[in-house]
Amino acid sequence: MDLSVRIGELLMPNPVGAASGVFGYGEEYEGLVDIDALGALYTKAVTPEARAGNAAPRLADTPAGMLNSIGLANPGLDAFIADKLPALRKRACAIVVNVAGKTEDDYLRVVEGIEAEEGVDGYEINVSCPNVAHGGMAFGVDCALIERLTRRLRDAADAGAKARARSGGPSARRPIIVKLSPNVSDITASAKAAEAGGADALSCINTLVGMVIDLKKKTPTLAMKTGGLSGPAIRPVGVAAVYRVSRAVALPVIGLGGIGCADDALQYLLAGASAVQLGTAIFARPEAPADTLAGIRAFMEAEGLERVAEIAGLLR
Ligand SMILES: Cc1cc2nc3c(=O)[nH]c(=O)nc-3n(C[C@H](O)[C@H](O)[C@H](O)COP(=O)(O)O)c2cc1C
């Protein structure tokens, strides 16, 4: 049985990854789960400068999910390279760095900085960040911007691969995976823009904008007022997005949003995803990715399938 998934030149050992923002840089789960058994570890966002994130409270419970406004809390590019990358480099799973910024140049600085380093297998571009040059509107709502940003990052990663090859290092062309926001009127338009810019794959979906109001205080529960809704509540939105996006573009699509077990993941794989990620579910059950992979394997055995990609063909 072949569980591997190819995303451009990156070969993931299996289709089950840990989503950005719920798995830190891996060290937080050391000893708790077998990190090397993941298909891929998508890191917490990396921005050029260190960021403390948003004011608390920044988490709220919701029916069948949670709301977060963590912001892009992270140690910054230099500290990521100095303190986090050495341990990540030793991992057997694919390491995909989630990239974020306030401006296009921020994203570019992160990719260029990491291109000089070994031990990273790809980039996931979080276009849900507010763009300060455009009044704080998310990058992901502007198709022209998605296309331009994707092209600039693809060019930077191509230049990085060539430079590594010249110096005798590993020359793999790292994939640019654009992580789409569901907070748009037509997610297939965002997908086509990323494809036009040269993306190698797409992740679908990031969180949905939500608000919880505290009735006693008569204020929004989160200090930031709104946050990102994740967990089982958003699964049908994610499955529909993957179904539509995988039919609109020729790129591999990585599905996420509310996956907590194999049955959830199989919905995404049947909808057309090449791979999946687990996010919120990992907080409650760190073993959920391993169980999910075991369940996918059992499904493939029962259906007599040899490759994960064959699952999508079963949808009637
Ligand atoms: C606490 C928290 C932090 C997150 N941080 C990031 C992030 O830094 N970058 C990003 O692209 N997505 C981030 N996400 C979004 C998740 O990666 C994922 O797209 C979303 O939560 C939907 O998946 P889920 O329902 O399985 O959690 C975060 C989600 C949560 C819950």
Side-chain angles (χ1 to χ4, degrees):
M1 191 183 287
D2 182 5
L3 288 167
S4 68
V5 175
R6 181 168 288 286
I7 306 283
E9 288 187 17
L10 163 60
L11 194 68
M12 295 178 177
N14 71 67
V16 182
S20 175
V22 303
F23 214 74
Y25 301 95
E27 61 204 9
E28 293 82 348
Y29 284 88
E30 187 76 68
L32 208 56
V33 294
D34 183 3
I35 300 172
D36 291 333
L38 289 169
L41 188 167
Y42 298 80
T43 71
K44 175 67 186 166
V46 177
T47 57
E49 74 296 344
R51 290 212 207 167
N54 293 325
R58 47 190 200 178
L59 291 179
D61 245 346
T62 66
M66 65 179 268
L67 206 57
N68 92 84
S69 60
I70 302 293
L72 298 168
N74 82 99
L77 176 62
D78 292 345
F80 168 76
I81 290 172
D83 305 333
K84 309 292 181 189
L85 194 50
L88 286 172
R89 235 178 229 133
K90 296 185 192 138
R91 297 281 172 211
C93 60
I95 302 299
V96 179
V97 175
N98 187 270
V99 182
K102 291 194 200 100
T103 63
E104 286 180 62
D105 287 349
D106 277 358
Y107 287 86
L108 205 66
R109 272 179 63 197
V110 174
V111 169
E112 283 175 349
I114 297 176
E115 274 299 307
E117 303 293 326
E118 293 181 13
V120 166
D121 300 299
Y123 303 99
E124 182 178 59
I125 313 304
N126 176 3
V127 293
S128 297
C129 312
N131 179 357
V132 292
H134 286 249
M137 219 161 67
F139 288 88
V141 301
D142 181 337
C143 287
L145 194 52
I146 294 178
E147 181 177 341
R148 189 171 70 218
L149 180 63
T150 305
R151 181 164 297 116
R152 289 183 73 187
L153 299 176
R154 185 58 271 163
D155 288 349
D158 281 341
K162 283 189 191 125
R164 281 196 310 277
R166 271 197 303 276
S167 59
S171 60
R173 186 176 177 269
R174 297 174 182 165
I176 298 288
I177 304 166
V178 179
K179 184 169 181 180
L180 302 179
S181 168
N183 303 311
V184 293
S185 50
D186 180 9
I187 197 166
T188 64
S190 313
K192 286 177 189 160
E195 184 177 48
D200 301 278
L202 305 170
S203 294
C204 270
I205 54 174
N206 213 317
T207 54
L208 286 124
V209 175
M211 182 189 271
V212 173
I213 293 182
D214 183 322
L215 290 186
K216 278 201 189 106
K217 294 186 190 154
K218 299 188 180 63
T219 60
T221 302
L222 299 178
M224 296 299 290
K225 300 188 172 59
T226 60
L229 180 65
S230 64
I234 73 167
R235 191 187 315 126
V237 180
V239 173
V242 166
Y243 180 83
R244 293 179 60 220
V245 165
S246 61
R247 281 153 183 78
V249 296
L251 301 175
V253 179
I254 302 166
L256 77 161
I259 301 178
C261 65
D263 282 3
D264 301 341
L266 285 164
Q267 286 198 48
Y268 275 93
L269 295 169
L270 283 161
S274 299
V276 294
Q277 302 176 23
L278 275 72
T280 302
I282 294 182
F283 287 140
R285 291 185 59 244
E287 67 281 12
D291 291 353
T292 299
L293 181 60
I296 292 172
R297 200 191 288 268
F299 175 86
M300 288 172 63
E301 256 163 34
E303 295 284 337
L305 306 180
E306 279 172 15
R307 294 180 306 112
V308 187
E310 292 169 36
I311 297 176
L314 298 182
L315 188 71
R316 297 200 184 101

